[in-house]
Amino acid sequence: MNRVLVVNSGSSSLKYAVVDADSGDTIADGIVERIGEEDGGVPDHAAALQAAFDELDDDMTGLVAVGHRVVHGGPDLYEPTLVDDAVVARIDELSPLAPLHNPPALLGIEVARRALPDLPHIAVFDTAFFHDLPPAAATYAIDRDLAAKWGIRRYGFHGTSHQYVSEQAAEFLGAPLDSLRQIVLHLGNGASASVIVGGRPVETSMGLTPMEGLVMGTRSGDLDPGIYAYLWRTAKMSVDDIESMLNRRSGMLGLGGHIDFRVVHRQIASGDAAAQLAYDVYIHRLRKYIGAYLAVLGTADVITFTAGVGENDAAVRRDALSGMTALGVELDEQLNADPRREARRISTDDSATTVLVIPTDEELAIARACVSLLTNRS
Ligand code: ADP
């Protein structure tokens, strides 16, 4: 039995799961929220981890490793990596690339290493899968010396999910992974799209940071970079304020006031024009990406929806792909409306491109990455 404790430590929440990497079963999972909040929260990440341990109790027995989700691995950390002090220092050095994500992940790693010193701690990077993006997709068209000096490239994120879901799609279709031309749409609070050919990443929507690309729960996605200078110079906003606004108060929240699509649909039904516009902007951006990615591919064998919105919101899936019959993509309305929470096809038999819904499981993917690192070491 290969049980792994998977820790995903954010600035104000700590998600945890104990996963059996062999069977794929989640033994237990949970989230400790409101870290650092005065009212009813827990004071810090150490207390959050202790709360997780208290909750897990007996499920903690028999662990073989602790897997940590780390958002940014920068240019050189892309394999699952056994954490030691040097790796901690390296992740810390990468904090300027991911100021909102890497510091809280490091806090999680440090408290977990102290609490469970006898277990191997393994960092799994959200950028890893996209390390091999082809140069044409990874390169920003800016001064190349400046880009090289500061590590500016498109790194991509949600890599664990894109890889896992593309492998599951191949399994579901009973086709070899290396034969498939895929588009994966990971639509959660964070959202990203990718093109995967033969199991290798070819294009993805997130860039240097997880801000580029699709409209998200609280992030803007693509912007004219001129907006940064304009807000700084004219609205006198600081760079930190602009960054925080674009990360935390934009996207669906900034446009319509809500990040949860169940609420967005209710608001639209009650005639809320702001919610309608937010939804329309979200769908418009998503369709632009799907169209672009179909052009990158020429033909797509499969388009897969995953994550909270992608797995559950039939209206988003319908509106994202409507009117694309000429592009080879046709949804079956009944299959699309089926709320089952398992891998399933939602396209018609005639659709040249198969459309799937596949639940993502980043915790399982991280647990398996940990076990495979340990197995290869021994
Ligand atoms: P995270 O990026 O935090 O991991 P998830 O992938 O869990 O996010 O997605 C969370 C989002 O999924 C919610 O904010 C909500 O918009 C959406 N969601 C969850 N369940 C449903 C549902 N039944 N219908 C529509 N949207 C849903």
Side-chain angles (χ1 to χ4, degrees):
M1 204 171 50
N2 278 306
R3 280 190 181 188
V4 176
L5 169 65
V6 179
V7 177
N8 182 351
S9 171
S11 59
S12 65
S13 73
L14 185 140
K15 289 190 208 168
Y16 59 90
V18 173
V19 180
D20 182 335
D22 301 331
S23 67
D25 293 338
T26 301
I27 312 295
D29 61 358
I31 178 167
V32 183
E33 289 177 289
R34 304 171 63 202
I35 300 173
E37 279 182 31
E38 311 234 310
D39 252 359
V42 293
D44 54 26
H45 283 76
L49 191 71
Q50 189 53 53
F53 288 174
D54 293 346
E55 201 59 45
L56 287 170
D57 198 20
D58 285 350
D59 296 324
M60 295 280 292
T61 49
L63 291 175
V64 297
V66 185
H68 296 271
R69 176 178 185 238
V70 180
V71 166
H72 217 309
D76 12 272
L77 292 175
Y78 47 92
E79 302 289 353
T81 303
L82 196 62
V83 176
D84 57 18
D85 291 343
V87 170
V88 166
R90 186 70 191 114
I91 296 172
D92 192 28
E93 278 165 33
L94 293 168
S95 287
L97 280 170
L100 305 177
H101 294 102
N102 274 21
L106 266 184
L107 279 174
I109 289 175
E110 294 194 306
V111 297
R113 282 178 83 204
R114 272 203 294 277
L116 301 169
D118 297 331
L119 283 175
H121 290 254
I122 295 165
V124 177
F125 299 94
D126 223 28
T127 45
F129 180 57
F130 296 114
H131 179 258
D132 293 331
L133 271 185
T139 306
Y140 287 109
I142 62 171
D143 182 303
R144 63 181 187 208
D145 297 331
L146 193 70
K149 176 169 178 198
W150 293 101
I152 298 174
R153 57 159 277 185
R154 305 190 61 252
Y155 288 94
F157 299 86
H158 293 146
T160 306
S161 177
H162 285 278
Q163 181 172 18
Y164 174 80
V165 167
S166 59
E167 290 167 2
Q168 293 297 112
E171 200 161 298
F172 180 85
L173 295 171
L177 182 62
D178 60 14
S179 73
L180 289 177
R181 306 168 71 76
Q182 307 198 40
I183 296 174
V184 176
L185 304 169
H186 175 112
L187 309 177
N189 284 323
S192 62
S194 69
V195 176
I196 298 166
V197 174
R200 304 303 314 155
V202 166
E203 175 53 275
T204 193
S205 59
M206 285 177 168
L208 176 77
T209 75
M211 292 169 74
E212 191 178 338
L214 301 172
V215 176
M216 313 186 203
T218 65
R219 289 181 224 142
S220 63
D222 291 340
L223 284 176
D224 178 347
I227 291 175
Y228 243 94
Y230 181 72
L231 286 174
W232 177 75
R233 196 179 291 126
T234 310
K236 308 289 181 213
M237 286 172 72
S238 71
V239 167
D240 287 342
D241 287 346
I242 300 169
E243 182 178 56
S244 156
M245 183 275 292
L246 293 175
N247 267 291
R248 302 184 205 272
R249 302 195 306 281
S250 296
M252 297 302 288
L253 181 68
L255 286 172
H258 298 281
I259 62 167
D260 190 321
F261 273 72
R262 288 162 289 200
V263 181
V264 174
H265 288 298
R266 283 205 292 277
Q267 300 290 104
I268 292 173
S270 69
D272 184 327
Q276 181 71 58
L277 180 62
Y279 183 78
D280 292 347
V281 173
Y282 182 95
I283 294 292
H284 180 73
R285 181 84 52 82
L286 184 55
R287 290 176 62 90
K288 284 210 299 190
Y289 268 89
I290 293 166
Y293 285 8
L294 286 170
V296 166
L297 277 173
T299 57
D301 298 311
V302 51
I303 299 177
T304 304
F305 287 90
T306 193
V309 179
E311 290 165 31
N312 295 300
D313 198 319
V316 165
R317 295 192 299 259
R318 177 198 64 212
D319 294 337
L321 297 179
S322 64
M324 293 194 189
T325 310
L327 296 173
V329 186
E330 192 175 65
L331 277 198
D332 180 306
E333 272 190 40
Q334 249 174 339
L335 293 178
N336 184 43
D338 180 348
R340 266 178 313 146
R341 305 194 53 114
E342 58 193 56
R344 62 192 197 277
R345 178 173 63 87
I346 58 169
S347 49
T348 63
D349 289 341
D350 291 340
S351 184
T353 301
T354 304
V355 184
L356 303 177
V357 175
I358 294 185
T360 191
D361 194 339
E362 289 164 284
E363 288 74 23
L364 174 59
I366 290 171
R368 287 192 172 149
C370 292
V371 168
S372 114
L373 171 74
L374 295 176
T375 313
N376 292 338
R377 259 187 352 139
S378 54

